[in-house]
Amino acid sequence: MDDLFARLRPRTVLAEGAVWLPGFALPEAETLHKAITQVSAVTPFRHFRTRMGQMSAAMTSCGACGWTADPSGYRYSRTDPQTGQPWPDMPDALRHLARRAAAEAGYEAFDPASCLINRYAPGAGMGLHQDRDEEYPQAPVVSVSLGVPARFSFGGLSRSDPKRIIELMDGDVVVWGGASRFAWHGVSPIRETFHPQTGAMRYNLTFRAINAALFRP
Ligand code: MD6
Ligand code: FE
């Protein structure tokens, strides 16, 4: 489908190394929804409890490793602590989309080991943070948004740096690497709106390459 919003909202460089690709994943939306359903049937969405309290976004993962959190910290693990089983394989369609988006943003040969899937109900958000558990700074993070829109804040390398606020819509992709790999960012609480495929929910998939030493036995 030739998407009107994608044409009205141009590709935007947010900062050195960080590129916003509006609507890039829209042609794949149905495949992505199916993949989310398949993965979450095996490794259900759950709300991690951290030192800071319970996270409002529900999460699951697929790929060679998945992201987990508990009051002792954050890490990547080869098995889902909830099921005791390996995380489901990353569906090829997801891997290919992530590789295409990375290449489009100037990062060739992106090889993600993990896809973290976040589900946000109305009111859920994610406080300002840096993505720094991967120990693989040479690779970008590829982020795909689906469903209802979210207000996304993108800052600099210091927490207090000025923020740029963008509206991430269904099918938008943000690729994040190079000088921006450790930029602070966050998601404001999701407003109560409706999307035909997801109802009131927003989903976000982040693809990451990870230092293999962190998840090899
Ligand atoms: C979200 N995304 O959009 C949360 N991290 O729901 C992230 O935290 C994120 O979008 C690193 C790079 C891109 C992202
Ligand atoms: Fe993040």
Side-chain angles (χ1 to χ4, degrees):
M1 189 180 71
D2 196 6
D3 182 64
L4 181 61
F5 284 112
R7 285 187 288 142
L8 293 176
R9 298 178 306 136
R11 167 202 175 98
T12 302
V13 175
L14 296 171
E16 191 187 336
V19 186
W20 176 22
L21 305 170
F24 186 87
L26 262 189
E28 249 76 60
E30 207 178 308
T31 308
L32 295 169
H33 289 300
K34 280 191 190 135
I36 292 170
T37 304
Q38 279 168 8
V39 169
S40 61
V42 179
T43 51
F45 282 104
R46 79 291 307 263
H47 294 270
F48 287 117
R49 196 173 291 282
T50 70
R51 248 193 308 262
M52 315 277 287
Q54 181 161 294
M55 298 182 77
S56 60
M59 299 182 181
T60 186
S61 292
C62 60
C65 59
W67 191 83
T68 68
D70 62 30
S72 71
Y74 312 117
R75 66 187 167 280
Y76 284 96
S77 66
R78 282 158 44 80
T79 54
D80 174 358
Q82 188 168 304
T83 64
Q85 299 296 312
W87 301 94
D89 287 339
M90 188 185 302
D92 284 341
L94 269 60
R95 185 182 302 278
H96 289 141
L97 171 67
R99 285 176 71 92
R100 276 204 299 120
E104 177 71 27
Y107 299 95
E108 296 295 336
F110 178 55
D111 185 19
S114 181
C115 172
L116 169 64
I117 308 174
N118 293 158
R119 184 185 67 196
Y120 298 79
M126 195 172 292
L128 274 182
H129 67 278
Q130 296 168 293
D131 287 31
R132 51 185 316 155
D133 300 323
E134 295 76 23
E135 297 188 18
Y136 206 95
Q138 60 274 42
V141 177
V142 171
S143 155
V144 179
S145 294
L146 293 170
V148 304
R151 199 157 286 165
F152 188 66
S153 300
F154 174 77
L157 298 182
S158 297
R159 199 177 202 283
S160 59
D161 284 347
K163 313 286 181 297
R164 182 165 177 172
I165 296 175
I166 63 176
E167 192 82 2
L168 291 180
M169 313 272 282
D170 189 42
D172 282 8
V173 175
V174 181
V175 182
W176 206 276
S180 290
R181 180 62 183 75
F182 297 111
W184 285 83
H185 56 282
V187 180
S188 301
I190 299 295
R191 288 148 292 160
E192 179 107 43
T193 57
F194 178 79
H195 185 277
Q197 261 81 50
T198 66
M201 299 291 179
R202 169 176 187 259
Y203 293 88
N204 178 264
L205 292 78
T206 46
F207 297 86
R208 299 126 192 277
I210 293 155
N211 181 346
L214 293 181
F215 62 93
R216 286 221 173 103

